[in-house]
Amino acid sequence: MQELINRAKELLDDGTVARVLGWRAGDLPYNPEPAYFENAESLKDFVYNGFCGANLSKYMIEASKLEGKTLVCLKPCDTYSFNQLIKEHRVDREKAYVIGVGCKGKLDIEKIRAQGIKGIESIEGAEITDEAETLKIQTIYGEKTCAYSDAMLERCHVCKGKEHKIYDEQIGESKETKDGERFDEVSRIEAMAPAEKFAFFKKELSKCIRCNACRNVCPACSCRKCVFDSNKFDSSQKANVDSFEEKMFHIIRAFHVAGRCTDCGECSRVCPQGIPLHLFNRKFIKDIDELYGEYQAGDDTDSKAPLTNYTFEDAEPSIVGKRG
Amino acid sequence: MSSKKKQAELIEEISGVNPLKCMKCGKCSASCPSYNEMDIKPHQFVSYVINEDVESLVNSESLWKCLSCFACVERCPRDVKPGKLIDAARQMVVRQRNNTYLSPDEVPELLDPEIPQQLLVSAYRRYRR
Amino acid sequence: MYKIAKENLSALFRLIADSQELYLPVKTAGQVNFAAWSEEAEVALDTLKSVKSPKDAFFPQSEGLYTVRREGRKMKVEPESLKEQDFVVFGMKACDVKGLEVLDNVFLSDPVDTFYAARREHGTIVALACHEPEESCFCKVFGVDAANPAADVAAWMIEDELHWKALTEKGEALTEKVKELLSDGDEAAVETEKQSIHNIIEKLPYMNLSLDGWNGGALSEKFDDKLWEELYKPCLACGTCTFVCPTCQCYDIKDYDTGNSVSRYRCWDSCMYSDFTMMAHGNNRTSQMQRFRQRFMHKLVYYPANNDGMYSCVGCGRCVEKCPASLNIVKVIKAFQKQGGEK
Amino acid sequence: MSIEKKEFRPKIVAFCCNWCSYAGADLAGSSRLGYPADVKIIRVPCSCRVNPMFILRAFEKGADGVIMCGCHPGDCHYSTGNFYARRRMTLLFSMLDYIGVENGRTRVEWVSAAEGVKFSDTMNSFVEKIYSLGENVRLGDLRCRN
Amino acid sequence: MQRIGVFVCHCGSNIAATVDVSKVAEMALMEPGVVHAEDYQYMCSEAGQAKIADAIHEKKLTGIVVCSCSPRMHEATFRKAAERAGLNPYMVEIANIREHCSWIHKDMEEATKKAVILMRAAVAKVNLNTPLQPGESRVTKRALIIGGGIAGIQTALDIADAGYEVDIVEKTPSIGGRMSQLDKTFPTLDCSACILTPKMVEASAHEKIKIYTYSEVENVSGFVGDFTVDIRKKARSVDMDKCTGCGVCQEKCPSKKAPSEFNRGLNNRSAIYTPFAQAIPNVPVIDREACIKFKTGKCGICSKVCQAGAIDYEQKDEIITEKYGAIVVATGFDTINLDKYDEYAYSQSKDVITSLELERVMNAAGPTHGHLERLSDGKAPKEMVFIQCVGSRCSDDRGKPYCSKICCMYTAKHAMLIRDKYPDVNVTVFYIDVRTPGKNFDEFYRRAVEQYGVNYIKGQVGKVIPQPNGKLLVQGSDLLDNRQILKEADMVVLATAIEPNPDVRKIATMLTASIDTNNFLTEAHAKLRPVESPTAGIFLSGVCQGPKDIPETVAQAGAAAVKAIGLLAKDKLMTNPCTAHSDELLCNGCSTCENVCPYGAITYEDKEVNDHGIREVRRLAVVNSALCQGCGACTVACPSGAMDLQGFSNRQIIAEVDAICR
């Protein structure tokens, strides 16, 4: 982290960048917030640790409008989103100085809480340079421990890899955290009977409070005004009525980002109700891979997206019933 | 449904051929090595099936004269495959004869140097699946 | 003072639910929220904070107001009926109860919101003291005593027994109804529990949060502060903070065309949303900074200005836990405090 | 809940492209090839005009089945429209199937202007399927039931 | 709020017999916005239209719903009627209660119910209709003809004679096409060159016609009336202005081993060549693949012998960009590849030839100087066999499913000519059917049989077996005699199926003209618009649209010309107003819509917008409404809903959905 701060200072000092987009230490051990730093002095609050899960690429939409370059810290998975935003002309590559930062898996405070750990005062082992496999957590109810990997976000267990897809320079080592297959859960649901599938999603989606956090955090949901906020489709409902609205919203949202979603997992990370929203996006990714050939959004900035492409021999929609 | 119609449909089912696709070009008869031995010529097979006269086809010389060389099948421009039709008629007879199929192990014993090479090749083609 | 053994709680719930609706913390797909009790429901009384606050029980996230039907070429308006049955909300925390006080000030003052009033009238609250408060809690800062919930019935979970004390007439009535299941409680044990809770509260990290300078009179000083320009930046403009908050009371009114009729309903709105208070001429808050500022100014300045200095934050800490960008009211207060210190 | 049992008459929306399928439906009409009156056709310029929002909207408002018809792939009046539509619908239907909505409620069929028979056959078989599935309870909005 | 009038047509009894039309009208009055409803016997009649006009005036209608037959039938009629009455034509919607209702349902109650719902959907849509104005686009008064065969030449001449400029782009070094390769033409047996050459000369001399030979269309953009076309003029290596066409270069060229395309590879030509003597332009090209100078750098003989100094080895391909108002496709045909028909021994014997090759053999300028001889040994044949339908009428993947149409006639022609010139040669034709619908066609065929003694045998040939003695054993069957035939022949001629020029797929893609499964260009309507492509401004001439003979080709060429002239004669075109439109305040500038637009109608511009007080420069999608054809692909691709289609807007379609589902 110190290396990152030093480099940021250098780049601020020599005028290469006008600001740094990173994370500011929070007032609790686990709540750093995305923040801009405009001078060397302010960087004293800069932090980069296991709780810096936020994908900063979406902030670059606004940062691209500012004067001068913005240094942005992107984890390997964030770089896919950044590429995708370049492809869609939503960020300006020239306005960004990308530092690919290392990552050893990001932590999910909810997973720590789920283990009954509460009253947290401090957490040791979340530092990015730490080799620690275990988090030591001091609470008002005594000291607790938690394996690092047990506290990791779901997305890190199916990590796309350590490679930064785009960067100006790289700082820090990354660690292999993948220990699961990302389509396993989707396959499990696919194998369910229709009634069971329906019950599963009904239960999950009935929790939705329409807070729009999933949409607002999503780097693919970069619309200035979402269709669900405009009256273009006469769809501007924002009530949760536990009947249709949530399904409509989540299906359409997943559809709108289909072929554009890089599977960065932010939607699931931010959902206050812990709805596994990535299951929608991954279903589309899995279908696209299976039907139209493997495609990873954000791998590059110029490939044709699956939904703006076609072949004469594409599968017919009836394949859905035939696959079983 | 009359038994005649049933038989004709059975032929179509076994052979997988739609006899109505035939445009009566005669290329099958032109290709057939057994043409002169046959009483019903390959291009006529189709009309026998269409006219639901499978009986005559079954009782014909042609039924056993066809070598299953499949020249007609290969060359038929309309995908009608008269060879498959006659083969289907033959299968019908075989099925009626109480499932007396030839098992593969019995084949070597039955081989006879006199058997025309073409028949052997045809047999392999016929039974390759 | 009564008590009931933990293993008899289901019998208690069954008994209450026999005659009225019962809402309590229920775990669904891994998350705890207030929901109607049923035999199958996984009741989660141990959970300190439900994701959404229980204000839902009195001010639902969406509720019908009236329905308009066409009869030939005429219109017929059918108003939604008000709540007529009694119901019990079980397991609210002191902060949530205080949150209702904030809502009362809004909805029960003139003009009275009849939907809300009817629910308040028919609702009986059994509040549970917070056995183990957590680091995100700061209710004490707003004068809430987590050990002493001020509801119809106050309850304490002490080891394997729930202690029960009716505080109001409604509470007494409910107690009467379920008396058969209750036995005499242990005042001393409750006092010990309260003391232990107070001890924990003193150790919480936010205990020393100072509200100096935040009051109804601070309007222009705070409104014009440059600090907002910095603070709002990580905000995603989602509605998480408002929708989990026990005191947020803004709603939107919308129409839903069912094909056969038009239902007018209201649903929670969030000041973080771009269409918040959208009017025919447009919106008077055009930037996210303005909307962000609105939320905190409302809680800490505008509301106190209109309600005798009462803040519309109760320190439940839900926003601290749930904000996707790790922003929250505490950080805002601290940022101003720090700036004040540096000046 | 009222217990009175009404005969189930499904609501079926058919999106037909102007150039092929709508004309195919016209041909079915002029050839007097019947299909159940439960089917109502909406004319769109091309199958690629059919937004998934329309399909979900139909279900929301109480449709029991939605079918989309377009020109055969390769014959699109706009040359490529139905190729995009094909991918969109495949993914959408797959998603609906994934969340447990009966797959038979959605269908895409390519019907040319000359295929009046196919149009009527398609509608007959689709309606039959919807009858066998019964009322759409999984996707409809409860508010639309009264 | 609209003021909508609903007009329910009885269509005699076509609708009224199954739909209670007065009930539909009565129910219409219940719908929001409807201020007038009536039913009438024939809404499309003059009296019916007058009723609409009266109601527009009296009730001050702003929108019209006609419940009648398919909009494909009378939408235009009612729109015009509304327009005459002063209403914007796009405020009219049709509820199709005939084809989609009365004609397919029997039960009156059920059909009436459905008609009411269809009416409601149309009313719901009209409530959201807005008046639309067609745009105007100008017409470039020049036509492009792709292909310089007889079809292209005839179309060019007809258009040019009407006074418009025409450019012909021809891929080969000379115009003339397939017809220039033919020896005689049926059924009159005229010499093909004698009737074609004057046309070629006329075209080349015409002041309005410009010919680009050895050139190809590289790129097409734009739309009806205003196409922009890039033409690649391939390097000829000969300066067309200097060359006198003396031919010395071709004589002296030492490289004479390149197969002659014109003679179907039956003999060779020099590396610098004109395809045939009457070529237009009479300027040779250097085949750089075959030229020694280009291959080794040494030689340069042609340059030395050229008195005019026309040889230019440095010449490069040149791209010419030109504007056109109309484009005529006349890309013609080729014979199919016979690799898959090994039973006819085409690849095994030089004496098995295609009919087109026989044309060259019979031609005085051909490889045998017009003598009928075997290409293997030069001997005169005694027995000739013609096999019909080689690759035509095939339902498998070896051939073509269609009838090539011209083979029966040209085979009769060949048989006749051979019997006439070489009476001692026996000619046998194996046929499946002899198809001779055409003026004097059957008479022509009968002459071959009756007068010239050509032996016609009904029955396809199964196999042609080359014999060790050089003869060809033809195994066929005579279906009428029910006997198999084994016939020794000296030459076998295959009536090979024809297929559209393989380049046509590429060209069709550039033009966004649709193409069928056999690569024939699709006409806008099989019966009523046979020479127009569904893509506006593209016309079809000759075999690119379907098999045809010369007279038919010339007739269609003229028809295509007339259609093109009809377009060029206009100064301005009205454009379809039902085009896509982007809402500037919602557009993200993400380019998704651009990626799915088949017409290249969407571009991006940096524009300043005022978004509720926020002024900023944004990258925004801009639709060129003249290019947009209104398919709507972009509207669905657009995630924010910024892109919408006028006349079929999101809200309109949703209103229809709602109306149907309620």
Side-chain angles (χ1 to χ4, degrees), chain D residues 1 4 7 12 17-18 28-30 37 49 56-57 59-60 63 71 80 86 93-94 104 115-116 126 130 132 136:
Chain D
M1 276 289 267
E4 70 173 289
E7 190 203 351
I12 295 170
C17 84
N18 182 45
S30 44
R49 179 68 189 91
L56 294 187
R57 175 77 168 210
F59 282 126
E60 176 191 6
C71 310
T80 55
R86 184 163 63 173
F93 293 179
S94 177
E115 292 174 328
F126 187 62
I130 300 302
S132 74
N136 163 36

Side-chain angles (χ1 to χ4, degrees), chain D residues 9 11 18 22-23 25-26 29-30 32-35 37 39 42-43 45 48-49 54 57-58 61 78 84 88, chain E residues 70-72 75 96 99-100 103-105 110 114 599 630-633 635-636 644 648-650 654 657-658 661:
Chain D
R9 288 309 301 259
K11 291 173 184 166
N18 182 45
Y22 195 90
D26 281 357
S30 44
R32 310 299 197 275
L33 298 163
Y35 51 88
V39 178
I42 294 180
R43 183 164 70 129
C48 69
R49 179 68 189 91
F54 303 159
R57 175 77 168 210
K61 297 288 177 178
Y78 304 101
Y84 297 120
R88 288 167 185 163
Chain E
S70 173
R72 296 171 56 84
E75 187 174 63
N96 184 347
E99 282 85 345
H100 294 184
W103 274 354
I104 48 169
H105 305 312
E110 196 153 79
K114 178 168 173 180
Y599 305 101
C631 68
T635 60
V636 183
D644 210 346
F648 290 94
S649 73
N650 291 324
I654 279 175
V657 168
D658 286 2
C661 293

Side-chain angles (χ1 to χ4, degrees), chain E residues 329-332 500 504 516 519-523 525-526 529-532 540-548 556:
Chain E
V329 188
T331 45
V504 77
D516 68 18
N519 282 358
F520 287 114
L521 286 156
T522 316
E523 56 278 17
H525 190 285
R529 296 173 68 194
V531 299
E532 292 156 85
L540 314 176
S541 176
V543 182
C544 68
Q545 178 263 340
K548 43 183 80 65
Q556 199 198 18

Side-chain angles (χ1 to χ4, degrees), chain A residues 197-198 201 234 243-245 255 279-280 283-284 287 292 306 309-312 314 316 320-321 323, chain D residues 51-52 56-57 60 80 83-84 86-87 90-91 94-95 97-100 103 110 138-139 141-143:
Chain A
K197 292 175 184 174
F198 189 74
F201 281 108
D234 196 14
S243 125
F244 182 79
E245 293 270 343
F255 187 84
L279 291 177
F280 288 101
K283 168 63 178 167
F284 277 141
D287 278 346
Y292 312 124
N309 205 354
Y310 63 86
T311 67
F312 192 84
D314 278 347
E316 291 296 327
V320 175
R323 285 193 300 186
Chain D
N51 196 309
L56 294 187
R57 175 77 168 210
E60 176 191 6
T80 55
F83 289 128
Y84 297 120
R86 184 163 63 173
R87 284 199 171 190
T90 305
L91 289 183
S94 177
M95 177 57 79
D97 178 62
Y98 180 68
I99 67 160
N103 177 245
W110 310 121
R138 292 191 178 159
L139 271 189
D141 194 299
L142 296 172
R143 291 171 289 186

Side-chain angles (χ1 to χ4, degrees), chain A residues 167-180:
Chain A
Y167 57 86
D168 293 299
E169 60 181 284
Q170 285 170 302
I171 294 179
E173 290 291 305
S174 290
K175 205 176 123 188
E176 195 69 60
T177 61
K178 182 170 184 247
D179 56 5

Side-chain angles (χ1 to χ4, degrees), chain A residues 205-278:
Chain A
L205 292 182
S206 66
K207 293 186 294 181
C208 175
I209 56 172
R210 293 300 291 275
C211 68
N212 292 319
C214 49
R215 179 190 79 188
N216 290 12
V217 81
C218 175
C221 271
S222 61
C223 290
R224 286 179 215 284
K225 198 178 185 85
C226 176
V227 277
F228 286 94
D229 285 353
S230 76
N231 59 3
K232 282 272 159 179
F233 282 83
D234 196 14
S235 62
S236 55
Q237 313 291 329
K238 52 182 159 189
N240 76 327
V241 289
D242 187 20
S243 125
F244 182 79
E245 293 270 343
E246 295 78 44
K247 287 184 210 94
M248 173 98 163
F249 174 76
H250 290 291
I251 294 172
I252 292 295
R253 199 184 86 76
F255 187 84
H256 280 178
V257 301
R260 303 164 54 230
C261 166
T262 65
D263 199 10
C264 76
E266 285 287 271
C267 45
S268 295
R269 180 181 72 86
V270 301
C271 179
Q273 291 278 27
I275 303 171
L277 293 161
H278 61 271

